[in-house]
Structure formats: structure tokens, C-alpha cells
Amino acid sequence: MRTELNIELPGGTYPIIIDASQFAISALKNRLSGKKIMIVTNDVVAPLYLQEVTDLFAGHQVHHCVVGDGENHKSVDSWLQILDELARCQFNRSDVLVSLGGGIVCDMTGFAAASWMRGMDFIQIPTTLLAQIDASVGGKTGVNHPAGKNLIGAFHQPMAVLINARTLKSLPAREFNAGIGEAIKYAGINQPEFYNWLNIHQQAIRDQDEEILLELIARCCRFKAAVVESDEKEQGIRALLNLGHTFGHAIETVTDYAYLHGEAVAVGMVMAAELSAQLGHCGSDIRKMLENLLQAFDLPIMLDANVPAEDLLQLMKADKKVINDRHRLILMKGLGAAFIAEGIANEDILTTIESCQEGQS
Ligand SMILES: NC(=O)c1ccc[n+]([C@@H]2O[C@H](COP(=O)([O-])OP(=O)(O)OC[C@H]3O[C@@H](n4cnc5c(N)ncnc54)[C@H](O)[C@@H]3O)[C@@H](O)[C@H]2O)c1
Ligand SMILES: [Zn+2]
């Protein structure tokens, strides 16, 4: 089973190929002829899929770069490791980087591709649900800075995204569920009907029913592609994809990544719903609806009681979207009706955080 979508941008069109069991490289073969390939992966994914993916490029000179696993390795050091390897193997702008891994490997490889010789081609082969439905699509690349998540980066689109849903079979359940957090995000932004679809198919999704999983991935890639096509560089509507993320990134940083990205986004969306209700944009039912669906996938809906709310707020102030101490956040007028809210005060955020902490009702 296979679905192919295209993402059409001013700089060119690229395919997202979603296959149930293959790494569908054949469509790209012509464009790769004579090129050197470097596959970037990490030490968890390498033993699982590196040999199989290397074999896809038979006939090419293939190099590997294996970075460390985890958000603490989404760093300038790992990015430099990739560049050092490109230098050592004498890659030039016409060669190709391939990412093989979750969102972290996808983001870092994309950033290495964006920066090596001012930009080279790369192919995304995402192997987590989160990366397949979100991180690998749309061209946002980057690494973390100690001051915060994704503070260093560039927009750089891949030449293709190759999704092989079979790779999800080796993914731990907690990571799979974290990916569902981002799927629920699309429902919250502008897809109320998708909320019902996720609700109806809960069990089939958890069981990784092949047909349902392919449909889930294809739907999410279509949602994301449509947003990116209308606003590639986030000058307007693309910001909606940050629903739950300003809170979420701060939660990741303040807890030193004790929450997975999708888990932090889950709590962040609950906070966004709470703040929306607090400011009178929607009723309290929106928070409840989100919580019900998130909990169905074992996702957290409350922040750990030990995290000082004030620390979280301080980190949110360091976010890219704060002007004169007033925050710009994605809020909701209803489920599937997200909007960009400007000028939100610190006190309102603090009250929201406190009402979404364990021990509160
Ligand atoms: N660029 C974007 O638009 C965008 C969008 C959303 C998220 N992100 C970024 O993505 C990152 C999160 O991505 P993630 O959730 O994929 O995390 P991740 O990359 O850390 O992967 C999760 C874990 O699963 C392992 N893994 C990967 N594939 C596997 C497989 N098939 N089987 C077994 N284990 C496997 C990884 O090594 C890791 O330990 C964050 O840094 C976030 O900022 C970027
Ligand atoms: Zn995200």
C-alpha cells in the first residue's frame, strides 16, 4: 500500500511517499545518479535500519555519520560532527545527505544540509510517528542552544520525504503516543472533523492497523503541506502549527527533556485551551475534549507539580515571539479554530500554568 503527495512551493515541488513496508527510493534514482550519499542516523536507529537503507543506494559511494541519541544531542556539537564528516569525505554541494531517524535526526541533518556550502540536497527518511507526520515535512531545520529549543536553524526543504510505516513497529509505545500528540494538534488547529476520526479509530491506531495508520500519516502530511504551501517562512498562518509549542518548548527545557516533545506539546495544548477559556475566547469544554483524547493515548495533561510556574514563564519570555513583555501565543476560539493571539500578559500565563499543574483541579 502506498500514497504519494506533493508539496508545492515557490522553490520547487517535492514528493512525500508514504509506504506501508518499503523505503520507496525508486522514484528518485534518476536524480541521484553519480552523487555521493551520506546517511545521518543515531546509535539507536543504526542497528535497526542503517544496513537496509545503505543497500538502497547500491552503486553510490555511501558514507555514514552516527550521532548520539536524545534531545541533548540535538546540538551544535552534533551538527559540527556531521559537517566534519562531510569535510572529511569531501562532499560538495551536488552530493546528497539522507536523514534516517526521528525528528531530532531529521532537524539536524536538514540544518547540516542547509549550511554545508550554503545548501545541499537532502532526503528525509523519518522513522518515528512524530517525524513522519510533522518534523520531516515543511523544511524547518535546526538544533538547540542551551538557552532554548531550536534557537539555531534555517528553512531548507528536502528533495523528498520517504516514509516507511513498517519502521513504527520497533518504536516504543511511549514514543508512538508522543507522535499522536502532534496529530491531535492538527485537530485543534483547523481540523475538527479529524478529532472525531481520531476518537473513532483510537483502538485501530493503538493496534497499528496498517490501513488506518497509513490514512493517519497521509491526513497529517496533507494538513501540514497545505499550511506550509500557504506560508512557507512562517510570516502568518504557519504560526498556527505552534499550538501548544510555546508552553511545550519551555516545559521541555525547564525539565531538561523529562517530557518527550509530543508529551510537552500535549500539556502545552491543554494550557492553550485553559488560557483561551480564561480570556473568554472559548468555553471550558475545549480543554476537556482535548484532555479526553490525549488521555486515550496515555499522554500527560498536567504539568509535574515540582516545576516552578515562574521558571516556566521566564523561559517563555526568552521565546522568539515575545515583544515588550507581551506574549504572542496560539489560542483557540473552539476546537479546530486556532488563531494568533497577541499581547498576552505574564499574569494570565502564570494563572494558566498553575491551573494545569498536578495537585490542581
Ligand atoms: N522541523 C519541524 O517542523 C519539527 C516538527 C515537530 C517536531 N520537531 C522536532 O522533532 C524532535 C522530536 O522528534 P521525535 O519525537 O521523533 O524524537 P527523536 O528523534 O528523539 O526519536 C524518539 C526516539 O525513538 C528512537 N527511534 C527513532 N526511530 C525509531 C524506530 N523506528 N524504532 C525504535 N526507535 C526509534 C530515537 O532514537 C529516539 O530515541 C524535537 O526535537 C522537535 O523539536 C521538528
Ligand atoms: Zn512539535
Side-chain angles (χ1 to χ4, degrees), residues 300-335:
I301 56 168
M302 300 289 259
L303 179 66
D304 190 292
N306 294 322
V307 177
E310 188 61 48
D311 289 5
L312 200 66
L313 177 66
Q314 286 307 320
L315 275 166
M316 290 174 70
K317 285 186 188 170
D319 190 84
K320 291 163 274 202
K321 299 152 212 104
V322 178
I323 302 162
N324 293 337
D325 233 16
R326 308 290 283 189
H327 297 251
R328 183 167 183 258
L329 287 172
I330 309 306
L331 298 183
M332 285 172 280
K333 292 189 171 148
L335 197 94

Side-chain angles (χ1 to χ4, degrees), residues 42 69 71 74 103-104 107 127-128 140 149 167 170 224:
N42 70 22
D69 184 41
E71 210 47 75
K74 187 178 177 181
I104 293 180
D107 280 11
T127 60
T128 63
K140 269 196 185 179
K149 278 270 295 180
T167 58
S170 57
K224 178 136 187 200

Side-chain angles (χ1 to χ4, degrees), residues 191-349:
Q191 305 293 333
E193 175 272 336
F194 188 49
Y195 177 91
N196 297 330
W197 187 90
L198 288 166
N199 234 340
I200 292 164
H201 297 292
Q202 274 179 31
Q203 192 58 44
I205 295 169
R206 272 195 300 271
D207 295 344
Q208 298 201 16
D209 173 276
E210 188 175 294
E211 211 169 306
I212 292 292
L213 207 52
L214 285 195
E215 187 175 346
L216 170 80
I217 297 167
R219 278 177 179 247
C220 291
C221 287
R222 260 189 224 109
F223 300 149
K224 178 136 187 200
V227 174
V228 172
E229 282 171 345
S230 61
D231 177 24
E232 183 182 1
K233 301 275 166 73
E234 197 168 314
Q235 277 145 353
I237 185 177
R238 184 167 180 173
L240 298 180
L241 294 173
N242 293 325
L243 176 63
H245 278 62
T246 305
F247 288 110
H249 286 162
I251 292 170
E252 288 183 88
T253 308
V254 79
T255 62
D256 197 20
Y257 302 105
Y259 288 76
L260 299 178
H261 177 72
E263 293 174 341
V265 169
V267 177
M269 283 192 288
V270 173
M271 289 179 174
E274 171 61 29
L275 183 56
S276 304
Q278 200 180 297
L279 297 176
H281 296 300
C282 67
S284 54
D285 54 324
I286 304 304
R287 174 173 173 181
K288 198 72 221 146
M289 283 175 80
L290 275 174
E291 286 179 340
N292 288 343
L293 193 53
L294 292 167
Q295 281 184 306
F297 292 96
D298 292 330
L299 285 160
I301 56 168
M302 300 289 259
L303 179 66
D304 190 292
N306 294 322
V307 177
E310 188 61 48
D311 289 5
L312 200 66
L313 177 66
Q314 286 307 320
L315 275 166
M316 290 174 70
K317 285 186 188 170
D319 190 84
K320 291 163 274 202
K321 299 152 212 104
V322 178
I323 302 162
N324 293 337
D325 233 16
R326 308 290 283 189
H327 297 251
R328 183 167 183 258
L329 287 172
I330 309 306
L331 298 183
M332 285 172 280
K333 292 189 171 148
L335 197 94
F339 70 104
I340 303 171
E342 311 269 0
I344 298 167
N346 289 329
E347 310 78 69
D348 290 326
I349 293 181

